Amino acid sequence: MKKYTLRCVACLAFLALALLLAACTQKQAFEQETTKAETESVSEAETLTETLTETETKTEPKTETEEETTVNVTYKPVQNPVYTAGADPWITEHNGEYYYCFSAWDNVVWVNKLSSIAQVTWDGCAFVYVGPQEGMYSHEYWAPELHYINGEWYIYVAADDGNNENHRMYVLKGTSQDPMQPFEMVGQITDPSNKWAIDGTVMQYGDELYFIWSGWEGDVNVAQNIYIAHMSDPCTIDSERVCISVPEYAWEKVGEPHVNEGPAVLQHDGKTFLTYSASGSWTDDYCLGMLTLVGDDPMNPEHWEKSSKPVFKKRPGTCYGPGHNSFCAAPDGSIWMIYHANLESGTGWDGRSIWITPVTFEEDGTPKFGSPRSEVEFPEIVQ
């Protein structure tokens, strides 16, 4: 009985060992197959990933191009003037919104959100700043301009104490990211000469800021020139002023004093242009001249080239005294000029209204303004 038990135990032990060896062999085979399958799976995944990556890389630009080309634009006839009253119009675009900045009631600055450049209105506007009742900037707020610089809103406006001889440029700063909310007075912005100044605008060229305005050479109202100075920040001029344009041609000298005013910057395709208004704004012959930056230093007068003829002028029977403009892009990317003009000859300041016109460009990048039109085709995006 004992021998039988020992033999049984031995047999059972042998059988267990055999089963264990078989299990190990099977496990090894299974692991090899699994490793092979995983390797093949990883290889297939990598191949698929590479294929998808190549496909995405190839198709992504095409998709963007398709999106750009599938934007539908329709052209809507718009009658000029687009608003029946107004002067020195300034419209700016920010994050797809259009804002119209203007002055009224002597010392009040207003901002209005517009649905379109072609639909200028005062309806819904907000007064963002009211000047004091007396003092050096209490009266005659002229030609305010709204600018978004370094993440902040600023308005540049001319003001005086009730005497034109004391007109100077002032800076207002927004209190929020909404330009229809209140602005606060920062103070005067001037070069060391501190002469008569109106129609200030800001130009960014490279990483630098420049202030450009219309001013007197001395303290007597003989002529208005265009000056430029470097800015250390949006509220401060840190250089002497430099004159870059004076009234010299006959078309710049209609009316007295002789006038160069209302500078407006247009930058396109790496080139910089500066339009300005010439002759008296109260005359039918108010028009636009243009300077082109032909060098790389805006503070060097020799680096500005002046057009010998007006680039935009009256069209008898249609439009008189077109001038003091701003530039803005339409939703389709086209550039438009907003300006004031008169429907009737001889109506002077009281007859001014707001007009628009498209800007096109020559092959060399020079802007073309054409002539004033009673009707323009304005682009609208079709959703």
Side-chain angles (χ1 to χ4, degrees):
M1 184 71 180
K2 186 176 181 180
K3 283 186 178 180
Y4 179 78
T5 303
L6 290 174
R7 286 178 181 175
C8 288
V9 170
C11 289
L12 290 172
F14 178 79
L15 179 61
L17 179 62
L19 291 173
L20 179 63
L21 289 173
C24 290
T25 302
Q26 187 176 5
K27 179 181 179 184
Q28 184 177 8
F30 176 76
E31 289 177 343
Q32 288 177 349
E33 289 297 323
T34 301
T35 302
K36 181 180 179 182
E38 289 176 346
T39 302
E40 290 176 351
S41 178
V42 170
S43 177
E44 290 176 0
E46 289 176 346
T47 302
L48 181 59
T49 301
E50 290 174 358
T51 304
L52 289 173
T53 302
E54 290 174 359
T55 303
E56 289 171 355
T57 302
K58 291 176 182 177
T59 60
E60 197 169 26
K62 182 178 180 180
T63 302
E64 292 176 357
T65 303
E66 288 175 351
E67 288 177 355
E68 290 176 1
T69 56
T70 53
V71 172
N72 294 319
V73 178
T74 184
Y75 292 89
K76 174 184 175 182
V78 172
Q79 297 294 320
N80 272 318
V82 293
Y83 198 62
T84 56
D88 311 332
W90 181 266
I91 297 178
T92 188
E93 181 273 337
H94 180 68
N95 290 339
E97 302 286 356
Y98 294 93
Y99 297 98
Y100 170 41
C101 184
F102 59 98
S103 59
W105 299 351
D106 192 41
N107 66 343
V108 182
V109 178
W110 304 75
V111 174
N112 200 15
K113 183 185 290 187
L114 305 178
S115 60
S116 167
I117 301 169
Q119 294 180 339
V120 179
T121 178
W122 285 20
D123 293 342
C125 63
F127 61 87
V128 297
Y129 180 78
V130 180
Q133 294 299 308
E134 57 183 21
M136 57 191 299
Y137 52 87
S138 58
H139 293 80
E140 296 185 307
Y141 278 53
W142 291 356
E145 291 192 4
L146 175 68
H147 293 259
Y148 191 74
I149 306 172
N150 299 336
E152 300 284 349
W153 285 107
Y154 297 90
I155 291 175
Y156 300 87
V157 62
D160 64 26
D161 59 359
N163 298 309
N164 178 48
E165 292 78 7
N166 295 326
H167 253 118
R168 299 294 187 272
M169 286 302 306
Y170 293 88
V171 186
L172 309 175
K173 186 176 182 180
T175 57
S176 76
Q177 288 296 302
D178 182 358
M180 292 185 68
Q181 294 300 310
F183 278 66
E184 296 177 343
M185 173 63 72
V186 175
Q188 185 182 350
I189 180 168
T190 183
D191 69 289
S193 72
N194 193 24
K195 301 297 183 182
W196 186 89
I198 65 168
D199 298 350
T201 193
V202 176
M203 177 181 76
Q204 182 167 340
Y205 183 74
D207 296 328
E208 304 297 323
L209 293 176
Y210 298 88
F211 198 62
I212 307 174
W213 71 98
S214 176
W216 297 350
E217 180 180 0
D219 297 317
V220 181
N221 190 10
V222 175
Q224 293 176 220
N225 307 323
I226 303 297
Y227 293 93
I228 186 171
H230 184 267
M231 305 174 76
S232 58
D233 61 62
C235 302
T236 310
I237 289 174
D238 65 352
S239 76
E240 301 285 340
R241 67 177 183 172
V242 174
C243 182
I244 56 176
S245 182
V246 300
E248 56 183 301
Y249 297 108
W251 52 270
E252 298 178 283
K253 295 181 177 181
V254 179
E256 292 185 357
H258 300 154
V259 174
N260 277 185
E261 64 183 12
V265 177
L266 175 60
Q267 294 175 318
H268 177 77
D269 199 21
K271 295 186 176 182
T272 297
F273 307 92
L274 184 73
T275 59
Y276 64 92
S277 300
S279 287
S281 58
W282 58 92
T283 73
D284 288 352
D285 294 294
Y286 199 52
C287 62
L288 293 182
M290 188 174 74
L291 302 173
T292 302
L293 186 62
V294 294
D296 56 7
D297 182 8
M299 292 290 290
N300 186 340
E302 294 183 358
H303 287 193
W304 291 97
E305 184 177 276
K306 186 174 185 176
S307 174
S308 61
K309 297 179 180 180
V311 295
F312 196 67
K313 61 182 181 179
K314 68 181 180 182
R315 185 178 180 183
T318 300
C319 176
Y320 300 88
H324 204 127
N325 63 294
S326 58
F327 296 103
C328 197
D332 69 337
S334 59
I335 305 300
W336 285 72
M337 183 170 74
I338 304 95
Y339 61 99
H340 76 234
N342 297 49
L343 277 169
E344 297 180 12
S345 174
T347 51
W349 289 330
D350 293 335
R352 294 176 295 185
S353 51
I354 299 176
W355 300 50
I356 62 173
T357 195
V359 180
T360 58
F361 296 87
E362 303 278 10
E363 290 185 1
D364 66 356
T366 302
K368 294 193 301 181
F369 305 102
S371 61
R373 287 181 274 170
S374 297
E375 182 178 286
V376 294
E377 297 290 319
F378 189 79
E380 290 187 350
I381 301 297
V382 179
Q383 300 297 333

